[in-house]
């Protein structure tokens, strides 16, 4: 106890010293002063109780009435229509939809029954884009492995079995490889199906879905996620030499591509209307949970940031374009279609910045930026004005920016917001991604930080050098 | 940021001052010194890697092979037999089973379909002892209420409806009243079934079961738990004036009482074998999850505490009796049968203490005691010797002591262990009560704290005054 308290004390003091040292390190450039008052106004408005209630009910409405927004579904198109109509009602200057053809994968009925020392139906969720099983399902012995390396060594055992990837979460980027590639790797060794330990640090018997990819060689085999709990249970039974089988049934199928839409609303710029700051999130979601943090929150936060500007009568020099991209979860066809549109109409080069929120609308901590050093240096002083929201750091490299990825890969500067993502992967792609996981004031702060950053970027004299 | 750090600093300093002030406040009595070396040995043994591996695999084995230990099930009796045989193998002096007749409730198939702005099957779990629905289920409009008081005002609306108790968690004792009484209250107003927001502070679409009680007046109506997420969703839809129905189907039924057993192992006392310290947890669980923290952990921890004494060749003056009580979850018939046994054989008065672990085997913090002030004063100095495990406080009032409740109500001193229960109600009575929720070293510390406390209480010269 004493030791712990001493640590706490030393830690506090060192933090105090550090934060004193960094404060006032750089003198802000003079142009930042022009935005001081506007920034304060935007933050105040975002945190004003009436606005907080409005945005919270807007978020609740979107996710209560249109919770399962999977590409190809009617519910997704209804959500897009609802957003379109509400942006018109808000008085956006231009509101329109861009047609996008999207993959149309459907889950249908699915189940998993365990047969080991005892038999029981287990929690599972089919992975996006997986093929289904025959109607009677597949029953086979399971083989549990902890890594690609272990599988390599034991791949001669895989013939005719169902391979269970029991890989503990390290980082998302690392662990998600087993979701993306697991089925193809297992299939090449003769496995008849595969199961994935859900990609998460923590589980309450929570299976996580997400998209997979089949390599061109090898048969596509059915692939589903199980829970962390059951993966560890199977591992322990295997370590004790138990024989185990599972009976996997999946009705999943890929239908012909369907028509969907990016939904777009604009606040026209006062002086350089042809120059664009594009911001948004993705309006589609998986077919479980309500897709609240992933990514209704990102859509609502960017949209509300611009609605606040309108409410305050603020019109920046450049045009701000809010986009609800479609099909982020299983194709990114919305992001690609947007890139194609601006490449074709010649407006690509006129973009000042692309900004996306898709890593949870939790407590804001700062921003991540991908672009030139000169642009980074221009943006950094803005942090002084977003700081009251908690967004205090600008770092290199953006997170949660899949939909603007196609733009960024062509050289456009991109930005995402950094939030407290401690629990992000607990809920990610699960039926626990629901409204209660968010904090109203944190979302309001995300809106405030976004409004300040985006207003300034859209209004500043300087073009951001690419 | 600065403000927050300053608070942290001031808080740390104040804690340091406080903890310095309390250290060395009371001089320990001389007899405590006799136990100093033994206590150190027990703690060292409990935290020894080989013993930790042994107890952890024992806990895993019990809950992997016998996860669904509901009263009346074969799996419960198999678990009891397994514990019986393993206590013999450990070399306990006496190992036996006490016959107990227990309620035999079975869940069978159950489901809940929501029909509101959209239709979807929802997560649910039937509550223990609930009656079932007719085979075709019950479909009716729902009525969401937030408290008994609100229901009182609106009870005229309940006729023919399904009442949804959307009551946020405050304390378990307070909120669980809606689980215990909710069906009867709704039934008296003419409701045809009832749904309960699960009793928890946090949910990942996790329904919680638990036992209910039907009052003698009014028809028993089916009663099931839904998730926090869905209860809040229904509330929001109701607040917006939406019409909602649910279709509830439950195959639950109460079968004739079944034969179960308390399982008992003894370490015979060296000088006063007729005097008894009874310790244990409950071996039964619900039929979902693996009943790891509730309460395989309590059973294993008390059992292992005594096994360690045997391993170290420690034999206290009094007999220590380890009990795996049956039927804690839906009847407490095991705890009552034990009381009846010791009342009948005249050994009740010879009990020195009853000790139970049933509030999670998380990081130990101390003990709770129900008994005379004199006994409390005698026990308090022991905390100095359990302190290295983290168990530093003795407080009045015991938690997690339902099975020894019948003994305590007859005047026997009772004790429970206090642990870090921050997440206890997240997992309580859910399918997320699994091995991964526990920390091996924390369980070892619980065993260490229990071993020290119980060895001393069983060996000390003094009888604890009742």
């Amino acid at each position: 106890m004493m030791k712990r308290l001493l640590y706490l004390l030393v830690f506090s003091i060192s933090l105090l010293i550090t934060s004193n040292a960094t404060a006032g390190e750089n003198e802000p450039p003079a142009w930042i002063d022009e935005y001081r008052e506007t920034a304060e106004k935007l933050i105040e408005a975002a945190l004003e109780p009436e606005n907080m209630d409005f945005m919270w009910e807007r978020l609740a409405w979107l996710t209560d009435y249109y919770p399962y927004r999977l590409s190809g579904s009617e519910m997704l198109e209804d959500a897009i229509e609802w957003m379109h109509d509400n942006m018109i009602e808000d008085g956006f200057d231009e509101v329109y939809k861009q047609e996008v053809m999207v993959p149309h994968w459907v889950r249908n009925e699915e189940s998993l029954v365990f047969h080991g020392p005892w038999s029981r139906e287990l929690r599972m969720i089919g992975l996006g884009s997986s093929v289904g099983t025959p109607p009677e399902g597949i029953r086979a012995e399971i083989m549990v492995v902890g890594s690609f390396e272990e599988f390599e060594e034991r791949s001669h055992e895989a013939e005719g079995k169902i391979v269970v990837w029991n890989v503990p979460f390290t980082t998302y980027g690392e662990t998600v490889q087993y979701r993306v590639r697991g089925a193809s790797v297992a299939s090449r060794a003769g496995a008849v199906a595969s199961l994935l330990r859900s990609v998460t640090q923590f589980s309450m018997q929570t299976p996580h879905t997400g998209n997979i990819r089949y390599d061109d060689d090898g048969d596509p085999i059915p692939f589903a996620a199980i829970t962390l709990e059951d993966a560890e249970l199977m591992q322990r039974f295997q370590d004790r030499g138990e024989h185990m089988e599972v009976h996997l049934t999946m009705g999943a199928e890929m239908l012909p591509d369907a028509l969907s839409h990016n939904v777009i609303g604009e606040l026209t710029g006062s002086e350089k209307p042809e120059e664009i700051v594009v911001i948004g999130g993705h309006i589609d979601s998986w077919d479980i949970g309500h897709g609240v943090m992933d990514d209704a929150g990102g859509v609502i936060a960017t949209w509300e940031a611009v609605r606040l500007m309108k409410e305050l009568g603020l019109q920046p020099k450049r045009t701000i374009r809010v986009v609800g991209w479609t099909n982020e979860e299983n194709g990114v066809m919305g992001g690609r279609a947007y890139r194609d549109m601006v490449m074709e109409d010649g407006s690509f080069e006129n973009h000042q910045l692309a900004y996306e929120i898709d890593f949870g609308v939790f407590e804001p901590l700062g921003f991540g930026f991908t672009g030139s050093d000169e642009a980074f240096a221009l943006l950094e002083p803005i942090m002084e004005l977003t700081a009251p929201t908690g967004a205090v750091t600008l770092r290199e490299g953006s997170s949660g920016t899949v939909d603007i990825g196609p733009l960024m890969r062509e050289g456009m500067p991109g930005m995402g917001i950094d939030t407290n993502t401690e629990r992000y992967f607990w809920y990610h792609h699960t039926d626990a991604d629901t409204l209660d996981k968010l904090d109203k004031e944190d979302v309001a702060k995300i809106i405030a930080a976004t409004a300040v950053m985006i207003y300034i970027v859209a209004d500043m004299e300087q073009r951001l050098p690419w």
Side-chain angles (χ1 to χ4, degrees), chain A residues 144-165:
Chain A
V144 186
V145 292
S147 66
F148 287 131
E149 294 67 35
E150 182 187 344
F151 185 74
E152 200 61 42
E153 280 168 31
R154 295 177 52 203
S155 61
H156 56 281
E157 300 171 37
E159 182 74 36
K161 290 193 185 144
I162 294 177
V163 172
V164 179
W165 299 101

Side-chain angles (χ1 to χ4, degrees), chain A residues 141-211:
Chain A
E141 191 179 341
I142 63 170
M143 164 185 176
V144 186
V145 292
S147 66
F148 287 131
E149 294 67 35
E150 182 187 344
F151 185 74
E152 200 61 42
E153 280 168 31
R154 295 177 52 203
S155 61
H156 56 281
E157 300 171 37
E159 182 74 36
K161 290 193 185 144
I162 294 177
V163 172
V164 179
W165 299 101
N166 174 34
V167 184
F169 186 98
T170 50
T171 64
Y172 184 69
E174 198 169 84
T175 314
V176 81
Q177 295 308 317
Y178 291 87
R179 189 187 82 207
V180 176
R181 298 170 47 211
S184 288
V185 172
S187 169
R188 272 195 292 274
V192 293
S194 189
L195 298 173
L196 175 81
R197 171 183 169 136
S198 289
V199 179
T200 184
Q201 312 98 321
F202 175 77
S203 171
M204 285 177 49
Q205 290 280 12
T206 319
H208 295 233
T209 193
N211 216 32

Side-chain angles (χ1 to χ4, degrees), chain A residues 46-184:
Chain A
L47 293 167
E48 202 254 319
E50 213 170 288
N51 275 326
M52 283 194 8
D53 288 348
F54 183 88
M55 73 81 186
W56 190 250
E57 177 60 9
R58 189 161 251 188
L59 178 59
W61 192 284
L62 169 55
T63 55
D64 286 350
Y65 285 90
Y66 315 105
Y68 312 114
R69 305 180 300 280
L70 187 57
S71 288
S73 69
E74 208 179 293
M75 204 176 258
L76 171 58
E77 295 314 301
D78 290 346
I80 289 167
E81 198 58 36
W82 171 85
M83 182 168 167
H84 177 268
D85 294 349
N86 274 276
M87 287 200 295
I88 291 175
E89 212 156 289
D90 285 350
F92 275 70
D93 300 316
E94 299 282 340
V95 179
Y96 51 103
K97 300 196 293 183
Q98 178 193 4
E99 293 193 352
V100 186
M101 292 306 290
V102 296
H104 189 188
W105 178 82
V106 288
R107 175 179 309 286
N108 297 320
E109 290 292 307
E110 53 183 22
S111 67
L112 179 71
V113 182
F114 175 75
H115 299 286
W118 37 265
S119 293
R120 185 102 165 181
E121 191 169 342
L122 301 183
R123 288 279 177 81
M124 59 85 74
I125 190 89
L127 292 166
S129 305
S130 175
V131 297
T133 64
E136 71 279 11
I138 295 173
R139 179 165 172 163
E141 191 179 341
I142 63 170
M143 164 185 176
V144 186
V145 292
S147 66
F148 287 131
E149 294 67 35
E150 182 187 344
F151 185 74
E152 200 61 42
E153 280 168 31
R154 295 177 52 203
S155 61
H156 56 281
E157 300 171 37
E159 182 74 36
K161 290 193 185 144
I162 294 177
V163 172
V164 179
W165 299 101
N166 174 34
V167 184
F169 186 98
T170 50
T171 64
Y172 184 69
E174 198 169 84
T175 314
V176 81
Q177 295 308 317
Y178 291 87
R179 189 187 82 207
V180 176
R181 298 170 47 211
S184 288

Side-chain angles (χ1 to χ4, degrees), chain A residues 361-412:
Chain A
V361 282
F362 301 105
E363 185 193 6
L365 304 174
F367 300 87
F369 177 71
T370 302
S372 67
D373 291 348
E374 296 87 335
F376 188 95
L378 272 168
L379 293 167
E380 208 171 20
I382 301 174
M383 305 312 301
E384 194 196 330
L385 303 188
T386 59
T389 69
V392 292
T393 52
L394 184 70
R395 65 172 179 85
E396 286 179 37
S398 60
S399 302
T401 51
V402 169
D403 294 293
I404 60 173
L407 299 171
M408 290 161 66
R409 278 188 290 278
E410 300 297 329
M412 191 182 292

Side-chain angles (χ1 to χ4, degrees), chain A residues 98 186 212 298 354 378 439 450:
Chain A
Q98 178 193 4
I212 71 168
L378 272 168
D439 178 83
T450 298

Side-chain angles (χ1 to χ4, degrees), chain A residues 46-47 52 55-56 59 297 301 357 360-365 389-391 417-421 437-450:
Chain A
L47 293 167
M52 283 194 8
M55 73 81 186
W56 190 250
L59 178 59
I357 301 182
V361 282
F362 301 105
E363 185 193 6
L365 304 174
T389 69
I417 194 158
D418 289 333
T419 70
N420 179 352
T421 55
K437 303 310 182 304
L438 298 184
D439 178 83
K440 193 173 172 178
E441 198 173 322
D442 284 345
V443 181
K445 286 181 190 165
I446 293 275
I447 294 170
T450 298

